[in-house]
Amino acid sequence: MRILVTGGAGFIGSHTLLALIEQGHEVACVDNFSNAERFIPQRVMELAQSSFPVFETDVSTWGALDAVVKQWGKVDGIIHFAALKAVGESVAQPLQYYHNNLVSLLEVQRAMQEYQIPNLVFSSSCTVYGTPKQLPVNELAPLQEAESPYGWTKRMGEQMLKDAVGANNGLKVCLLRYFNPIGAQPGGRIGELAKGVPNNLVPFITQTAIGLRQELKVFGNDYDTPDGTCIRDYIHVCDLADAHVAALEYLSQSSEPLSVFNVGTGKGMSVLEAISAFERATGVKLPYRFAPRRSGDVEKIWADPAKIMSTLGWKPKHSMEDAMRDAWRWEQTLATERKG
């Protein structure tokens, strides 16, 4: 299939580009590089030993995707990653998040309708469950009030796509509600690029370990969890990339217009447990201190991944220690390149 990947230079997008090529698909990358680096698609090409077009454009701009499709030609499906993603930042900059995340999705849907592109895999999030009433969370769990503007953009995005599917018989959509992506390509060639102070835990861990940060801040130690810190379901980004490929292939073969899958490991891990996993995997001791709770953070959430495992035949292959080791290798690669 010929697959357009929006936000393809980002953390999850770049790994998904690589996974798609490895599974024999033809790809094109679309990114405005506001939160990514231009060398990442080139790295993907080197890893895949295959070239692909890279279109530098803002998906939220009217007509941007029209120009891409006209230039690249027939598109069989889109995987849509182009969105801002930091919970804390969304609380501080809500209008930016609503504009970027929702308008870009509107433009994707408009282009799909205009050029009769049949398949869409949407990058959703476990944030649509808010603070869940029951754990682990499965796809039938009621959607809760979002805890952040970022969470609301995913809730609204899902509703937009449900409405679009109802009005367009030719459209098939897969909503992937994934949990906390971490790790990097095992060789340390691509990974998560945090610009400025990281908003996510693992880049903050690796930057502290490498000496870019004096200490790691653990936001809150008074939650109703065994050690007082938040619990998340951490999934290796390579496993998550494989889930996107599996979802796309499922869409191409299924008659189901709208499908929803959780993508997680099914295991909850606290922040302190994640720190310990990093120390075990790398042998590096982390300095950390507790800080006040962060606005928008959910206390605890982890997935029930039974549906994606049974329906798509997908399952996670990497451990938490694998993810931490790969993230650390990527951070060391960046450090070497900064010196160079």
Side-chain angles (χ1 to χ4, degrees):
M1 289 187 286
R2 287 169 57 85
I3 308 303
L4 198 63
V5 181
T6 70
F11 177 39
I12 306 169
S14 59
H15 288 81
T16 302
L17 281 172
L18 181 58
L20 285 164
I21 296 169
E22 290 175 343
Q23 292 300 313
H25 299 287
E26 191 175 349
V27 302
C29 170
V30 178
D31 208 297
N32 67 357
F33 295 99
S34 64
N35 198 32
E37 297 292 346
R38 289 171 179 80
F39 71 82
I40 292 294
Q42 185 60 44
R43 290 271 177 91
V44 175
M45 294 182 208
E46 292 169 5
L47 288 165
Q49 297 184 325
S50 176
S51 63
F52 53 83
V54 178
F55 298 96
E56 184 171 350
T57 189
D58 188 337
V59 179
S60 67
T61 302
W62 191 92
L65 279 181
D66 298 64
V68 171
V69 174
K70 287 175 182 176
Q71 185 173 343
W72 194 47
K74 180 179 180 290
V75 178
D76 297 309
I78 295 177
I79 301 181
H80 181 50
F81 293 112
L84 299 173
K85 63 176 185 176
V87 169
E89 184 181 66
S90 77
V91 174
Q93 302 178 39
L95 296 183
Q96 182 181 4
Y97 270 70
Y98 285 121
H99 179 268
N100 184 86
N101 292 8
L102 298 180
V103 174
S104 64
L105 180 56
L106 279 171
E107 277 299 296
V108 167
Q109 292 178 76
R110 187 193 59 75
M112 292 184 73
Q113 185 171 322
E114 177 73 19
Y115 298 99
Q116 297 182 324
I117 301 170
N119 303 305
L120 173 66
V121 179
F122 177 58
S123 171
S124 191
S125 166
C126 65
T127 56
V128 300
Y129 297 118
T131 301
K133 300 186 185 305
Q134 186 173 340
L135 291 168
V137 178
N138 66 31
E139 291 82 357
L140 298 177
L143 304 187
Q144 303 288 339
E145 291 280 315
E147 301 281 345
S148 67
Y150 167 76
W152 276 117
T153 67
K154 294 303 181 183
R155 277 284 307 270
M156 294 174 184
E158 286 199 4
Q159 187 60 52
M160 287 161 59
L161 290 170
K162 290 174 184 176
D163 293 340
V165 166
N168 185 348
N169 290 332
L171 177 63
K172 290 186 291 184
V173 173
C174 182
L175 308 176
L176 289 187
R177 294 172 179 165
Y178 41 84
F179 285 65
N180 287 67
I182 60 171
Q185 184 267 337
R189 296 292 291 157
I190 57 174
E192 185 169 7
L193 279 167
K195 293 191 173 183
V197 179
N199 287 291
N200 297 329
L201 175 64
V202 174
F204 215 127
I205 285 176
T206 58
Q207 287 192 10
T208 303
I210 207 78
L212 288 177
R213 307 289 164 195
Q214 185 175 1
E215 61 185 1
L216 173 69
K217 291 180 182 178
V218 177
F219 295 103
N221 65 338
D222 57 350
Y223 287 101
D224 184 20
T225 61
D227 63 20
T229 64
C230 291
I231 293 177
R232 296 290 183 269
D233 187 336
Y234 296 99
I235 179 171
H236 197 294
V237 66
C238 291
D239 289 330
L240 182 54
D242 288 342
H244 284 82
V245 179
L248 187 71
E249 293 173 346
Y250 174 77
L251 281 179
S252 70
Q253 300 163 7
S254 172
S255 59
E256 187 177 3
L258 183 72
S259 50
V260 182
F261 298 103
N262 284 341
V263 191
T265 66
K267 299 174 183 177
M269 180 172 285
S270 74
V271 174
L272 292 184
E273 287 173 329
I275 292 171
S276 295
F278 177 84
E279 293 177 338
R280 288 195 305 273
T282 65
V284 179
K285 191 71 175 175
L286 280 173
Y288 69 87
R289 68 176 175 87
F290 295 112
R293 292 188 183 192
R294 188 170 54 178
S295 179
D297 278 345
V298 172
E299 181 173 85
K300 50 190 171 185
I301 188 168
W302 63 91
D304 177 353
K307 183 181 176 184
I308 191 172
M309 290 180 178
S310 62
T311 306
L312 303 191
W314 171 92
K315 64 179 180 180
K317 300 173 184 175
H318 299 84
S319 69
M320 184 65 167
E321 283 73 17
D322 291 335
M324 290 299 195
R325 193 178 301 112
D326 293 340
W328 178 230
R329 188 175 294 116
W330 165 241
E331 189 66 57
Q332 290 174 307
T333 297
L334 291 175
T336 300
E337 291 173 350
R338 280 192 291 265
K339 290 177 182 177

